[in-house]
Amino acid sequence: MKKILLICAVVLGFAFNASAQTDTKAEFKFNEEKHDFGKIPQGTPVTTVFEFTNVGAEPLILTEVKPTCGCTIADYTKTPVVKGAKGTIKITYNAAVVSAFNKTIVVTSNAKTPTKYLNIVGEVVAKPAVSSK
């Protein structure tokens, strides 16, 4: 009986220790994960900045920020973001084609949630024709 209790105590000790270690990982808290540009004129690039805070204990390191389309460019904080500090992901969309759009940006990091998905949406509308008088 003592052996069973000892084994249970050891197993529970490992379980609590493992969960305590995972709680120290870095983690994102974004101000928004989806940005709606609304209607934008064709041929006019638009930009938004996704701001995040590291709410974990370890420094947060972004290893890749990859748009799923060549019409979107990403720039991001490349230095480690310490606990409580803020970082940014700047997204620029080239509004070349008239149509609605929904683009995804894949963010890879050392966070507790290692892959995060950000979205930008909107509608590109044709510029009004300029009359030549």
Side-chain angles (χ1 to χ4, degrees):
M1 184 71 170
K2 287 183 182 180
K3 286 183 181 181
I4 293 174
L5 287 175
L6 181 61
I7 290 171
C8 288
V10 169
V11 169
L12 285 173
F14 281 124
F16 284 124
N17 191 25
S19 68
Q21 287 176 353
T22 58
D23 289 344
T24 64
K25 279 191 149 289
E27 187 62 290
F28 290 107
K29 180 170 177 29
F30 278 92
N31 61 337
E32 66 175 350
E33 294 183 26
K34 180 178 184 177
H35 181 78
D36 187 347
F37 285 108
K39 293 182 186 258
I40 54 177
Q42 182 181 15
T44 306
V46 289
T47 300
T48 189
V49 176
F50 291 96
E51 186 177 89
F52 62 88
T53 303
N54 178 4
V55 295
E58 295 177 6
L60 177 61
I61 301 167
L62 303 182
T63 53
E64 184 177 34
V65 176
K66 186 175 182 179
T68 56
C69 169
C71 55
T72 308
I73 299 169
D75 189 23
Y76 58 95
T77 302
K78 298 188 176 55
T79 56
V81 179
V82 296
K83 177 182 181 178
K86 295 183 183 298
T88 59
I89 299 173
K90 179 180 168 185
I91 304 297
T92 302
Y93 175 72
N94 180 11
V97 179
V98 174
S99 73
F101 64 91
N102 182 352
K103 304 297 178 185
T104 301
I105 298 88
V106 182
V107 180
T108 308
S109 71
N110 69 328
K112 191 183 308 182
T113 309
T115 304
K116 197 79 161 163
Y117 299 95
L118 304 175
N119 291 90
I120 56 171
V121 298
E123 182 180 0
V124 179
V125 295
K127 282 187 175 181
V130 178
S131 61
S132 54
K133 288 187 179 185

